[in-house]
Amino acid sequence: MGGIFKDSSAPYILTLMVSLLGWMFNSALKGGENLWIVEYETRYATVEGIPTVTIYLENKSLKGLKAGNFLFLCSHKKYQDPSAPPCFANLPKVGVPWQPLRPEKVISPGSQPPIVVDVRSMKLAAIIPIGGKIGFRFGLTEANTPIEINYVVEDAASEMRMLLTSGWSFEGFIWGNYTLLLGYGFFSLLTLLIFWIAAAVISFFRAKEGAPKAPEKEEIIVRLITEGKSNDA
């Protein structure tokens, strides 16, 4: 591998690598313009005797999310019956089934509260800025009730697509750290370029020092004898 950078083609290889990185940047940016990536996390607990589920939603995409709704659905089959008791229960102190959370690094969800749709579901306006994260705690009638999270598109004709994933995702990691990864890429190429220049300079001076010296001129003495006299030239 190291021999590549000692070759005369090294500048062209580095130029190709820079061009490839630029192409990847433009292609990814174009693809990311029409994609929302939201990672969610659910945590079950009990608050003053009331079972709860806390849901965090984090926007990992390149654009702010401000369209459509998130639907929180109790997926247990018994709640599929319209006559079933409500899945969500009022929380202590607040008197409603939901409570916004504002811990560190979690952005306030704003003034739009969740809306009860039916006995087993609630919806929340999908508003999360770039890199933002929101959190809600919901009261449950029964502990550990499975919650299904869906995204309901607002405009069916929209070109935007939603990737909603539970926990860590490769796509979320890429877009969430896009600028950092791009910086690492350019830094790596710059390091290779500096390495090649340094190697080329070192090779030049080594070649100069190792070059054979020109032979010294041999002194030739010519003696001319004319009329009995000797003359050295």
Side-chain angles (χ1 to χ4, degrees):
M1 180 67 180
I4 294 177
F5 299 100
K6 297 180 181 179
D7 192 81
S8 60
S9 62
Y12 304 102
I13 296 175
L14 292 173
T15 301
L16 179 62
M17 293 172 69
V18 172
S19 300
L20 179 61
L21 185 62
W23 174 80
M24 291 174 62
F25 170 77
N26 291 329
S27 299
L29 188 62
K30 185 175 181 180
E33 289 178 348
N34 297 324
L35 178 65
W36 281 315
I37 303 174
V38 175
E39 294 178 356
Y40 67 87
E41 178 186 3
T42 57
R43 300 178 185 176
Y44 291 93
T46 300
V47 178
E48 297 184 19
I50 300 297
T52 65
V53 58
T54 299
I55 300 175
Y56 295 101
L57 298 158
E58 186 172 2
N59 184 4
K60 291 287 189 175
S61 49
L62 294 177
K63 300 182 68 174
L65 176 58
K66 52 182 178 179
N69 295 279
F70 292 112
L71 185 66
F72 307 118
L73 182 68
C74 296
S75 58
H76 196 284
K77 61 181 181 180
K78 72 178 181 180
Y79 292 111
Q80 296 177 3
D81 185 355
S83 61
C87 172
F88 295 99
N90 290 341
L91 290 167
K93 298 180 181 180
V94 295
V96 290
W98 54 268
Q99 181 181 11
L101 302 178
R102 294 176 176 82
E104 185 180 0
K105 297 183 180 179
V106 178
I107 295 177
S108 170
S111 59
Q112 298 187 27
I115 299 174
V116 177
V117 178
D118 51 35
V119 297
R120 67 173 186 147
S121 60
M122 301 185 71
K123 70 176 181 179
L124 172 70
I127 303 175
I128 313 177
I130 300 174
K133 185 176 183 180
I134 62 175
F136 272 95
R137 178 179 292 125
F138 295 94
L140 298 173
T141 302
E142 293 187 11
N144 301 318
T145 300
I147 302 295
E148 181 180 326
I149 303 175
N150 297 316
Y151 174 76
V152 181
V153 65
E154 188 175 60
D155 182 8
S158 174
E159 295 182 356
M160 294 297 298
R161 296 176 292 113
M162 168 63 74
L163 177 61
L164 190 61
T165 64
S166 174
W168 187 93
S169 68
F170 178 74
E171 295 85 354
F173 173 77
I174 293 297
W175 292 115
N177 301 277
Y178 187 69
T179 303
L180 184 63
L181 293 174
L182 185 65
Y184 280 146
F186 277 112
F187 177 77
S188 298
L189 289 179
L190 179 62
T191 302
L192 290 175
L193 180 60
I194 294 174
F195 172 78
W196 177 81
I197 293 175
V201 171
I202 293 173
S203 297
F204 172 77
F205 282 105
R206 284 182 176 177
K208 188 175 181 180
E209 292 176 358
K213 296 182 180 180
E216 297 180 359
K217 294 182 179 180
E218 183 178 355
E219 184 179 357
I220 301 177
I221 300 176
V222 179
R223 176 173 294 180
L224 299 177
I225 301 175
T226 55
E227 296 179 358
K229 296 180 179 181
S230 175
N231 296 316
D232 292 335

